[in-house]
Amino acid sequence: MVRRLLPLVLLGGLAFLLPHSSVAQDDAAPLVVVMDIDGPIEPITERYLSRVIDDADDRGAEALIIRIDTPGGLISSMRKIAEQLLNSPVPTVAYVWPSGAQAASAGTIVTIAAHIAAMAPATNIGAAAPVTGTGEDLPPTLRRKVDEDITALIRSIAEVRGRNYEAIEPTVLEAKAYTAQEALELDVVDVVSVDLDSLLNAIDGSEVELPSGIRVLNTASAQIDEVGRSMLERFLDILTNPNVTYALILLGTYGVIYEIRDPGNFGPGVLGVLGLVLGFAGVGLLPVNFTGVVLLVAGMFLLLLESQLDGFGWAGIGAVICWLLAGFLLFGEIFPEPTALDDPLEISRWVLGVFAGVTLGVIGLFWVLGRGGGKSEAFIPEHERRLIAQQATVVDILNPSGEIVIDGEQFTAMTEGEDIAEGSPVIVTGVYAGGVLKVAEPHRAPTAASDPPWRDRAARLSLAHLIRQRRDR
């Protein structure tokens, strides 16, 4: 009897378990992924959106909600983001939020490219007229070409998403903007919702067309997972700040030049190379003028030349001029790059002023350190230069500084080696700043105490030499 009942009990148990599992699966809350575009639209934004779309697709999310508050961004990035949204395997909802937020310029196209466009009360959308990277109007011919390109993109998006093209077009051609209620009435957006919960309820049951077919959204009771930017994306976002990019390149140049002047420290050289790599990586992620990049590199080489010709001056001043011009032109408009950005890409005038002052200080330091090391004979005044290679006698022990006598005239001197006793002969090998002589014992003195002839020729053209001549007159 038991044997006969056992199969029935097992079958009954399976019958009980199977419907129960099905109900449990049906009752599982759908997933809605939320991300934020809360700044300029740029290449890092593309990367962020692409990653979140893939993540939402892998997790079988019901929808991806993109909260937007942007002043605009790069047209190239805008187009790639619109392409991602138009081909997204996951339903996308662009939500201009919170109250006071905007989807300006490039943000307008991004918003209307989503499957569902929503806005919070007291937000605005529009003003999508393209400008240069510095916020200026484009030249007429280029403006006409860009307008045609963007309006064609809007037409294609409006056809796919069923939006009112005639209301969206003036945002580009006339820089028109709409409030949330105006955009809703003109069929620019689909929903106006005060918060995320009301938005999920409002779009519940909506049909969206995906590459895989029509899907009906089930979002009323969805669980929400907010996905922020990764550490790498946050780092790249900082790196693409024009001020940070400019500062990294200049600081990197200082570090590399210091290492070249005084090899063996490694620290400044390694940090300098790292700064240059990161700085130019930032330049590569931003729309820049080739002229500005050339000026940056020219300034680097001029400062390197100045570091090898202490006191020359002209190369250093040329470096300052190149870097100042690069600061103005790197994101400037000699060759306009069309964007849709109300907040222009530019380097702060304060940053330019600080680095111009620092570079001038570095140039002055080169001259002082050059003389301080006794290795720039060509830039030493004539009355001090005649003492180089002269033999002297120590009259007060050098430990490391003391007094020496040359032809009956007493001078302050310093040695870099061991202490030298009173009465010992020494050779003058250089002149420190302040007129202090650099000396060494005869067997330790270098065989040639003078610089190559070309340095003498450079010295006669140097800024330091001209200033000295004018002062001596």
Side-chain angles (χ1 to χ4, degrees):
M1 185 69 178
V2 173
R3 290 179 180 177
R4 291 178 180 177
L5 291 175
L6 185 58
L8 296 175
V9 171
L10 291 175
L11 288 172
L14 288 172
F16 173 78
L17 290 173
L18 287 174
H20 179 75
S21 299
S22 178
V23 170
Q25 186 174 359
D26 291 341
D27 288 345
L31 172 67
V32 170
V33 176
V34 179
M35 63 172 287
D36 292 285
I37 297 178
D38 54 1
I41 293 170
E42 54 192 5
I44 310 307
T45 315
E46 300 171 35
R47 176 193 175 96
Y48 176 33
L49 177 61
S50 176
R51 177 176 64 84
V52 177
I53 288 177
D54 290 342
D55 178 62
D57 187 33
D58 292 341
R59 298 167 65 186
E62 189 70 18
L64 166 62
I65 295 180
I66 307 162
R67 293 186 297 215
I68 296 176
D69 182 11
T70 178
L74 307 177
I75 284 182
S76 56
S77 296
M78 175 197 74
R79 293 192 70 95
K80 290 178 182 177
I81 289 175
E83 181 181 342
Q84 291 178 24
L85 294 173
L86 291 169
N87 295 282
S88 172
V90 179
T92 55
V93 181
Y95 183 31
V96 185
W97 179 89
S99 294
Q102 61 177 338
S105 297
T108 304
I109 285 80
V110 171
T111 301
I112 65 171
H115 293 98
I116 297 175
M119 297 177 70
T123 57
N124 63 278
I125 188 171
V131 293
T132 68
T134 55
E136 303 294 329
D137 288 335
L138 291 170
T141 303
L142 181 58
R143 172 63 188 268
R144 191 161 51 251
K145 291 174 63 177
V146 175
D147 282 348
E148 288 294 328
D149 180 57
I150 296 179
T151 51
L153 175 63
I154 291 175
R155 277 197 302 274
S156 62
I157 293 174
E159 290 173 4
V160 172
R161 298 296 186 229
R163 308 202 190 284
N164 182 358
Y165 166 72
E166 293 182 355
I168 302 172
E169 183 185 41
T171 65
V172 175
L173 300 181
E174 303 171 17
K176 192 171 182 60
Y178 301 112
T179 65
Q181 194 58 41
E182 289 171 341
L184 180 64
E185 293 171 358
L186 290 169
D187 200 21
V188 174
V189 299
D190 308 298
V191 181
V192 173
S193 297
V194 294
D195 55 28
L196 194 57
D197 289 335
S198 65
L199 174 63
L200 293 176
N201 289 324
I203 65 175
D204 185 58
S206 300
E207 291 186 356
V208 297
E209 185 174 356
L210 302 176
S212 58
I214 301 295
R215 181 186 294 185
V216 178
L217 298 184
N218 176 23
T219 57
S221 58
Q223 59 175 339
I224 297 171
D225 183 20
E226 298 196 13
V227 179
R229 297 195 180 209
S230 66
M231 291 297 294
L232 176 59
E233 287 160 354
R234 291 178 185 276
F235 174 72
L236 292 176
D237 199 31
I238 295 172
L239 197 62
T240 51
N241 182 307
N243 295 306
V244 174
T245 298
Y246 184 77
L248 283 172
I249 292 175
L250 268 60
L251 290 173
T253 302
Y254 298 150
V256 169
I257 289 177
Y258 184 88
E259 186 67 34
I260 291 173
R261 279 186 61 90
D262 193 8
N265 292 287
F266 295 108
V270 170
L271 292 176
V273 170
L274 182 62
L276 289 174
V277 170
L278 292 176
F280 279 107
V283 167
L285 292 170
L286 293 169
V288 295
N289 288 331
F290 182 69
T291 305
V293 177
V294 170
L295 286 168
L296 271 179
V297 175
M300 293 165 58
F301 280 106
L302 285 172
L303 194 62
L304 175 62
L305 177 62
E306 181 65 33
S307 73
Q308 303 303 306
L309 294 172
D310 307 288
F312 186 68
W314 301 116
I317 291 174
V320 173
I321 293 172
C322 282
W323 279 348
L324 279 174
L325 290 175
F328 285 108
L329 301 180
L330 195 59
F331 306 102
E333 55 175 320
I334 287 184
F335 306 106
E337 172 74 18
T339 73
L341 183 62
D342 287 343
D343 186 15
L345 288 172
E346 62 180 358
I347 298 171
S348 167
R349 302 298 184 261
W350 286 101
V351 172
L352 293 177
V354 166
F355 276 99
V358 169
T359 306
L360 287 172
V362 169
I363 294 167
L365 192 62
F366 282 156
W367 185 75
V368 173
L369 291 179
R371 288 201 56 199
K375 56 185 178 183
S376 298
E377 179 186 342
F379 299 97
I380 297 172
E382 190 66 33
H383 66 281
E384 294 177 355
R385 213 161 119 200
R386 63 180 176 80
L387 300 173
I388 295 177
Q390 295 288 320
Q391 185 165 337
T393 303
V394 177
V395 296
D396 183 12
I397 183 171
L398 301 178
N399 62 341
S401 62
E403 300 295 321
I404 63 172
V405 170
I406 302 175
D407 295 333
E409 188 176 356
Q410 190 164 319
F411 297 91
T412 300
M414 182 177 291
T415 177
E416 292 183 348
E418 298 178 356
D419 294 351
I420 301 177
E422 181 180 340
S424 301
V426 292
I427 300 292
V428 178
T429 60
V431 181
Y432 290 98
V436 177
L437 303 182
K438 176 182 178 182
V439 299
E441 294 176 285
H443 65 282
R444 295 178 183 271
T447 55
S450 61
D451 287 331
W454 66 268
R455 293 185 67 91
D456 288 317
R457 290 194 293 271
R460 295 188 184 94
L461 300 174
S462 72
L463 185 61
H465 179 69
L466 295 177
I467 293 174
R468 199 161 50 235
Q469 276 189 324
R470 187 177 183 86
R471 185 184 59 202
D472 292 341
R473 288 174 186 172

